[in-house]
Amino acid sequence: AVFDPAHMITLDRSRSRIVVCIRGTMSLRDSLTDIVCKATRFFGGWCHQGMLEASNTKIRTLLPKLIETWKNLKQETGIEFEVNVIGHSLGAGTAAILSVLLREALPQYISIRCFAFACPAVMSEFVCEKYKDLITSFVCEDDMVPRLTYVACVKLASRAIEARRHAGAQFREKAIEKSKKMLGAWE
C-alpha cells in the first residue's frame, strides 16, 4: 500500500536489541510515498509529508507490539532491551521520523536509536537539532538522495529551464547567422 514500506522486526539477543528494519523504495507505491514531499508541521518544525504518513502507518502497527515485546523481554531476561530503528533511503526517512514519534510515544525508560542509511532530507533543521542524539545518519560520499529536497528540486528545475531558454536563444542567433551567410553565398 502507499505510505507503508515493508518492514520486519527481529531480536538481537546478544546485544539486547529489538530491531525494526524498514525497506527502501522498491515499488511504484513506495515511489508515490517518496514524491509526496510537501512539508508538513512536525514537532515545532517541518517534515516530509509522505514519509510522515508512512511513519504514522508504522507506529499504529508497531507501538503495541514494541511495548509488549519490550515488557516480555524485561520480565524474561531482566535486561532492558534497546529499540533500534534502521532503514535505507525511503526506509531511512521513515525510520528517522518513526524514531521521533516513538521517542514521544514510548516511556522515557525505553532507549531508542535510529540508524539511517542514505536518508533523504526529511526534517527541518530545528527538528534535527532537537533529536540529534536519537538519529545517526550514514551518507556515502556524493550520494544525492540525502541532499535532495523539494526546494533543491524546484531550484534545479528553474535553472534547467533558464539554461534551456539561454541555449535556445544562442541556437536561434547562430542559426540566423548561418542562414544569412548561406543566403549571402547565393547572391
Side-chain angles (χ1 to χ4, degrees), residues 92-106:
T94 303
I97 295 170
L98 175 61
S99 295
V100 171
L101 295 174
L102 287 171
R103 177 67 288 144
E104 296 299 323
L106 287 171

Side-chain angles (χ1 to χ4, degrees), residues 1 4-6 23-34 90:
D4 194 14
R23 188 189 68 204
T25 305
M26 191 168 167
S27 68
L28 180 58
R29 289 181 176 144
D30 291 339
S31 296
L32 293 173
T33 302
D34 284 324
L90 163 67

Side-chain angles (χ1 to χ4, degrees), residues 39-47 52:
T40 188
R41 297 295 295 166
F42 186 70
F43 292 104
W46 301 91
C47 78
L52 175 60

